[in-house]
Amino acid sequence: MISRTRFIALLLLFCCTLPAAAQKPKLVVGVVVDQMRWDYLYRYQDRYIADGFKRLLREGFSCENTLIPYTPTYTAPGHTCVYTGSVPSLHGIVGNNWYSRELGRSVYCTEDDSVQTVGSTSTAGKQSPRNMWASTITDELRLANNFTGKTIGIALKDRGAILPAGHTANAAYWFDNASGGFITSTFYMQQLPQWVQQFNARKLPDQYLKGNWKTLFPINTYRQSTADDKPYEGRLNGEDNAFDHITESLTNNRYDVFRHTPWGNSYTFEMAKAAIEGEQLGTGKATDFLALSFSSPDYIGHTFGPNSIEVEDTYLRFDREFATFLKYLDQKIGKGQYLLFLTADHGVAHVPAFAQEHKIPGGVTTERNLRQRLNDALQQEFNTANIVLTIYNDQVFLNNDAVAKAGLNRSAVKTSIIRELLKTGAVSKAFDLESINAANLPEKLHMMVVNGYNQRLSGDVQYIYKPQWFDGGTTGTTHGLWNPYDSHIPLVWFGWNIKPGKLNRETYMTDIAPTLAAMLQVQMPNANIGHVITEITSSQPAAK
């Protein structure tokens, strides 16, 4: 017969061998830096401080070779892919805008006329996630905890806040140029919470603009950038394109210019802290999710290009503010109690004139010019006007009514379009989207085109630009292509249950959501095609 003392000892031993209850982070913070090329993690590292990006890389786990697995690489599909683990072919967000044959017009990714603006008299709040077909990891987390956890999305751009927050979010907030504050829509609520009203009442954008944009360091020390006053850089509100950027006296487009300054990042960080405190995120029994997108780097990068002093100064400032935000999370949520990831929705190309300045081939064209060229050639060949209806996202849409009325063979028309596109100096490949497998594309490019092709929403003929060519103007730059400068993005994991390390094998933007799902022990999003990055919790130590 077992003694009472021995029985208790055996019972305790048995209990100790049972798996411990799975602990979860109090808060997940998703950080998407709009237009952050992967190399920005390292390019300005000599002046990054110890507790910003360097801390992220030192204490976190970096997936160094993370790629976007579809084209086009724009903001809306990028944010959607991060949070759905899916691609435009399946989640339905094929661009920032696309042409709808059903509606006969352009569609904006988050437009929704069934809702109204909350927090302003403008129409900027008539937005929702209804155009996104798939669920997000933020949706799945809310479903798993029976809606007891909170999800909040914040960005200057509406699409940067709405799409990551998902369909079931408690709120998404974005910046309104009319009021100079954060707004939302009746999709989420009927009135702004008191904490948002109080935050808007601080009028922080006005305070930031009074300071003018001056470089953080003496301008002659910005050695990672071109000279300040380059003719191929854009301008802020018609002013010259050199420092100092005088913003205190702005009257026209005041808040639009604000978006194009580093203070847009400062403002987003402040709103993030206000949301954590106003919604008491990270204090409940269920895991909360704060989805942040920093839009200003994209506005600045488009205007000045990735080799500008403006971009360098933006990231030096962002590094310091990010360090402050991490310390805030350490104190407010608890070090090791929150899970954070940092990534980007896309990268960016060099300004073509900059590339040419350094003997790198490149150039620009415009969709308008391509459309006119195609229609002129097709009219001459088929004696029919306006065969090309429109061009969106590097895809040609046929005017089906004109083709049918003239009794033309669609295949013959598409063959002529392809032939004419290949005559241009900008295009390297063109092919029929209904016959992608016959296009003889390199394997990686084939995957990206297939993942970006949506039978309901895409066009008839796709063309691929030569490297360093794109649809644009004579100043500034853009993104949207398959090339590594647009598709190679940072991905760093930090905080709860993350061991320091680096991974150099290929990972994909689609892997972020299923990895979060595995870590949080919730179902992956319903259109997910990504894979769990298993190395992030069983990694080798990072290099010192």
Side-chain angles (χ1 to χ4, degrees), residues 458-516:
S458 294
D460 300 291
V461 172
Q462 173 109 36
Y463 55 89
I464 305 296
Y465 283 114
K466 293 177 181 177
Q468 194 48 56
W469 280 80
F470 54 73
D471 171 43
T474 57
T475 62
T477 188
T478 193
H479 53 85
L481 307 180
W482 70 272
N483 309 76
Y485 48 75
D486 281 354
S487 63
H488 187 190
I489 56 173
L491 175 57
V492 190
W493 305 81
F494 179 86
W496 176 84
N497 210 27
I498 299 296
K499 298 178 181 179
K502 286 188 177 182
L503 179 65
N504 285 306
R505 75 169 175 86
E506 277 194 9
T507 52
Y508 292 93
M509 182 187 271
T510 44
D511 297 335
I512 298 171
T515 300
L516 285 168

Side-chain angles (χ1 to χ4, degrees), residues 375-412:
N375 272 328
D376 288 347
L378 292 169
Q379 183 167 17
Q380 185 173 0
E381 181 175 356
F382 296 103
N383 195 31
T384 302
N386 300 319
I387 290 178
V388 171
L389 182 65
T390 189
I391 297 178
Y392 268 86
N393 303 322
D394 306 332
Q395 295 173 355
V396 179
F397 288 72
L398 292 185
N399 185 336
N400 290 329
D401 291 340
V403 170
K405 186 176 180 180
L408 302 179
N409 182 288
R410 284 175 55 84
S411 295

Side-chain angles (χ1 to χ4, degrees), residues 80 130 159 314-315 393 494:
T80 305
R130 287 193 172 112
R159 56 189 182 271
T314 294
Y315 278 92
N393 303 322
F494 179 86

